[in-house]
């Protein structure tokens, strides 16, 4: 994968934006608590386990995704920026302590803002190194998969408020 620095980021990003009917602090908690992340992160019947999160700038994350047909997809990355209850920037370009990964795929930016109704404006961006990688992610089902996971996130956050 060759970086394409002259290609505008708008051509290399995928974006999911929603208003979640849950308080921002609970949405944040679902992103940063390993047990809660395991409950919503993958569209069912996929699931994750072995979740390790060190949610701080420079901290690492690791988990394993499991598919319904026996697929096993390890995921490792680092947090580039953490602003509590507002923003997470994470990437798989590194696997830990600035150790480069063998095949970086994307950087994710998760932004949370309060709405006047007490809900959360949720913006999830996937930034890719190339247009080809963005297209690959789109064909893998980015919008559907991240959409379903976001529905699961909202439902879980709402249940924490009850």
């Amino acid at each position: 994968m060759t970086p394409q620095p002259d290609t505008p980021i708008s051509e290399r990003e995928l974006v999911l934006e929603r208003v979640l009917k849950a308080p921002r602090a609970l949405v944040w908690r679902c992103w940063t608590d390993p047990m809660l992340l395991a409950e919503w992160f993958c569209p069912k019947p996929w699931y994750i386990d072995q979740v390790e999160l060190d949610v701080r700038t420079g901290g690492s994350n690791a988990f394993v995704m499991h598919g319904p047909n026996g697929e096993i997809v390890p995921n490792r990355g680092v947090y580039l920026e953490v602003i509590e209850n507002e923003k997470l920037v994470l990437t798989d370009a590194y696997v830990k302590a600035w150790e480069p990964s063998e095949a970086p795929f994307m950087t994710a930016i998760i932004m949370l803002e309060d709405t006047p109704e007490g809900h959360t404006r949720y913006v999830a961006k996937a930034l890719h190194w190339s247009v080809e990688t963005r297209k690959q992610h789109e064909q893998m089902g980015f919008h559907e998969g991240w959409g379903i996971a976001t529905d699961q996130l909202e439902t879980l956050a709402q249940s924490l408020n009850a």
Side-chain angles (χ1 to χ4, degrees):
M1 160 182 7
T2 303
Q4 296 175 334
D6 295 332
T7 304
I9 192 63
S10 61
E11 294 180 29
R12 294 180 284 130
E13 74 179 356
L14 295 169
V15 180
L16 179 126
E17 185 172 345
R18 294 220 185 127
V19 172
L20 305 183
K21 294 179 180 172
R24 181 169 49 138
L26 296 179
V27 173
W28 178 264
R29 189 171 149 209
C30 290
W31 263 100
T32 59
D33 179 315
M35 292 180 66
L36 295 176
L37 187 78
E39 290 188 44
W40 70 266
F41 192 78
C42 292
K44 296 181 185 342
W46 282 77
Y47 68 95
I48 66 170
D49 65 5
Q50 303 174 36
V51 182
E52 297 176 21
L53 305 178
D54 179 9
V55 185
R56 61 181 175 83
T57 300
S60 62
N61 58 68
F63 55 87
V64 179
M65 296 172 61
H66 298 270
N69 299 313
E71 302 94 336
I72 298 175
V73 183
N75 287 270
R76 294 173 61 194
V78 298
Y79 296 97
L80 301 175
E81 183 177 14
V82 176
I83 302 173
E84 187 171 353
N85 291 321
E86 291 182 23
K87 186 177 185 182
L88 286 172
V89 180
L90 52 150
T91 186
D92 63 357
Y94 298 98
V95 294
K96 65 178 180 179
W98 314 120
E99 177 185 323
S101 69
E102 292 184 23
F105 186 67
M106 69 172 200
T107 296
I109 301 174
I110 309 302
M111 295 176 287
L112 310 174
E113 294 178 15
D114 289 328
T115 69
E117 303 79 26
H119 299 151
T120 303
R121 181 173 177 263
Y122 178 81
V123 179
K125 294 183 178 187
L127 310 177
H128 302 84
W129 274 257
S130 69
V131 172
E132 292 77 21
T133 306
R134 182 210 30 99
K135 288 179 182 175
Q136 176 189 3
H137 198 184
E138 206 164 24
Q139 291 168 353
M140 289 168 56
F142 168 84
H143 294 289
E144 180 182 8
W146 282 40
I148 291 169
T150 301
D151 292 343
Q152 294 170 175
L153 166 62
E154 179 178 37
T155 299
L156 179 59
Q158 289 171 340
S159 77
L160 299 174
N161 199 28

